[in-house]
Amino acid sequence: MSVGTTPVEAVIFDWGGTLTPWHTIDLAEQWRVYARELAARADDFVDAEALAARILAVEDRAWKRLRVDGGSAHIEQVLREAGVESDHPGHPAALTAYQEFWEPHTFTDPQVEPLWRGLRERGVKVGVLSNTIWPAGYHDGVFARDGVLDLLDGAVYTSEIDHAKPHREAFRAAMTAVGVEDPAAAVYVGDRPYEDVHGAQRAGLRAIWVPHSDIPMDQQVHVDVTPDGVAHELLDILKIVDSWLGA
């Protein structure tokens, strides 16, 4: 049976820019917020600007490694490489300030709840696979805050595994999380042609592209791919899945 005719058992979603509306973020400011709070609680003098620049550089290298070879990273590893240990007396308050900086940019698109309910009503499982440095508990808290956590059948955050998209193993981990063995029975939805469309198709999944993100040039990887479907808004995914279900 070909990919195009295999019944859909699960739809797995990217998070940032797909389930959340795209926002342009001042990536340097996120770490200035963290560093200023940490410096205010440090026992010794901390140059907050220098620390923020150092963390940003480490994070940037981590994301570049991800795009080159699909390697993963965790926020604690990023901070440690920049010289900040998790037991630093200022770390808890600094991490809270950092998360508060990000909170306005994490809210779930209003179409997610009816989309996920619609998929589950069709007998299709719902999953998430996100390239992220944040821990799984943080993401679970975001979905719980927005009232959709109970609609998830499984989620994989690459901070918790050895690989990230577009590596095949990341997609396999997400399939395992939702209980699907055949990649042809799974669909991946994302806003990035390289990580999401190319990565999913290379792993044997169908890919739906959501082209509503203004991805910075330095985060783009050119790749010649054709998605299996295009959703200009999230609820379009139900129509695409219905066509594959024969509904």
Side-chain angles (χ1 to χ4, degrees):
M1 184 177 287
S2 69
V3 170
T5 58
T6 303
V8 176
E9 297 178 18
V11 178
I12 302 167
F13 293 83
D14 169 53
W15 181 64
T18 300
L19 297 176
T20 64
W22 176 265
H23 287 182
T24 299
I25 310 295
D26 184 345
L27 297 178
E29 183 62 19
Q30 63 173 328
W31 294 119
R32 293 191 195 103
V33 168
Y34 176 93
R36 286 194 294 264
E37 199 68 32
L38 183 135
R41 288 165 169 75
D43 295 332
D44 301 318
F45 171 75
V46 173
D47 184 333
E49 284 296 322
L51 175 60
R54 195 160 64 245
I55 300 172
L56 180 64
V58 173
E59 184 192 27
D60 185 57
R61 289 197 297 270
W63 286 111
K64 285 179 179 176
R65 285 197 304 270
L66 177 152
R67 287 189 285 273
V68 170
D69 62 12
S72 62
H74 191 286
I75 189 170
E76 301 293 353
Q77 296 169 336
V78 169
L79 292 171
R80 189 178 306 116
E81 188 174 335
V84 180
E85 295 294 338
S86 58
D87 61 354
H88 188 286
H91 173 67
L95 185 61
T96 296
Y98 168 87
Q99 292 172 343
E100 288 174 349
F101 169 87
W102 273 100
E103 185 172 10
H105 311 294
T106 65
F107 283 94
T108 305
D109 190 300
Q111 293 192 11
V112 169
E113 191 268 346
L115 168 59
W116 285 5
R117 288 196 184 279
L119 290 171
R120 289 168 67 98
E121 288 167 0
R122 289 160 170 77
V124 176
K125 295 178 180 179
V126 174
V128 166
L129 169 61
S130 175
N131 279 2
T132 179
I133 64 172
W134 298 341
Y138 178 82
H139 288 281
D140 288 347
V142 167
F143 287 136
R145 178 199 65 198
D146 296 342
V148 296
L149 182 61
D150 63 335
L151 298 176
L152 261 179
D153 294 295
V156 171
Y157 302 104
T158 60
S159 56
E160 311 289 337
I161 63 175
D162 292 334
H163 299 287
K165 299 176 298 179
H167 200 286
R168 290 182 179 89
E169 290 302 321
F171 292 95
R172 289 173 182 152
M175 289 172 50
T176 298
V178 295
V180 173
E181 296 182 359
D182 183 1
V187 178
Y188 191 74
V189 179
D191 63 328
R192 294 177 180 247
Y194 178 65
E195 291 93 331
D196 300 334
V197 177
H198 163 72
Q201 290 178 337
R202 189 175 65 167
L205 291 75
R206 277 169 277 194
I208 296 175
W209 182 39
V210 184
H212 61 197
S213 296
D214 186 17
I215 300 169
M217 288 297 298
D218 64 348
Q219 296 182 21
Q220 295 183 29
V221 178
H222 176 72
V223 62
D224 185 14
V225 292
T226 301
D228 299 280
V230 177
H232 292 283
E233 57 182 64
L234 290 177
L235 282 172
D236 290 345
I237 293 165
L238 289 178
K239 301 173 186 176
I240 298 170
V241 171
D242 280 345
S243 72
W244 290 333
L245 292 172

